[in-house]
Amino acid sequence: MVSVIIVAAGSSARMNGINKQLEKIGDTPVFVMSALKFEKSEKVGEIIIAAPEDDAARYEKLARNFGVTKLAAVIAGGETRMQSVRSCLPAVSPKADFIAIHDGARPLIETEDIERVFADAEKYNAAIAAVPAVDTVKQVGSNGFIESTPARGNLYYAQTPQVFRKKLYLECLEKADQTALERVTDDSSILELCGEYVKITEINGCNMKITRPEDLAAAEAVFKGKRAVKNV
């Protein structure tokens, strides 16, 4: 059984005062749409949402009203992603074999892609959604000048969901240096710090992250395009 943590407690610092999680794609709040994509998976036994501390009751009401039947808890998140995830861990069911962590601001993930990440996690103990880098990436020094250009063929953009065998993930959390933990920007880095291997699952659908106001319009356009194709 998979326990899903939806991280939706961020400050939306680059959204000009807009709470991106509560904005709607179609008629559904962003974080709810993310949760509903996992709701459809038979492997998911429960969904836990990390919400802003002063708005947890509202998030829970919205999730239930929009049909997230597998909602197990809405937990007050922290100031950082890592703090939010760790605040949710005590709510994870003892029956869960895997933990899946997903950005609430990635509402366009397809359930089919989620299932593929689950399958790789079952096979390799840890897997993350990712897409190949399409831009050339530059390594830059503190002086602002280019130091190196990594080979693009070996680079991927890390996305979510990131799925881990629960026992392994918790063991790596326990072993990791606490200072290093606060610097990580995704959960797979915790396993890397522990010397564990993580499988890349290349996904097929759009899985953009809503970060800026203009991303909302782009996500809406993608959503409408998908709906139009399904109705043809």
Side-chain angles (χ1 to χ4, degrees), residues 11-67:
S11 61
S12 300
R14 288 171 283 186
M15 290 293 295
N16 298 333
I18 300 170
N19 184 341
K20 62 188 177 186
Q21 303 290 352
L22 297 178
E23 291 296 305
K24 291 184 176 181
I25 305 297
D27 62 356
T28 307
V30 166
F31 84 94
V32 174
M33 182 174 285
S34 295
L36 288 171
K37 297 298 179 63
F38 288 87
E39 172 88 16
K40 296 176 183 177
S41 172
E42 293 182 0
K43 294 181 179 179
V44 171
E46 64 179 8
I47 296 171
I48 300 164
I49 296 172
E53 184 174 5
D54 59 353
D55 224 2
R58 182 184 183 188
Y59 276 54
E60 180 171 359
K61 183 178 180 180
L62 282 169
R64 295 196 187 282
N65 285 349
F66 277 88

Side-chain angles (χ1 to χ4, degrees), residues 106-123:
R106 293 188 187 274
L108 300 177
I109 183 71
E110 296 288 356
T111 303
E112 292 80 2
D113 281 324
I114 291 170
E115 297 284 4
R116 293 174 58 243
V117 184
F118 285 170
D120 276 349
E122 289 175 1
K123 186 174 181 179

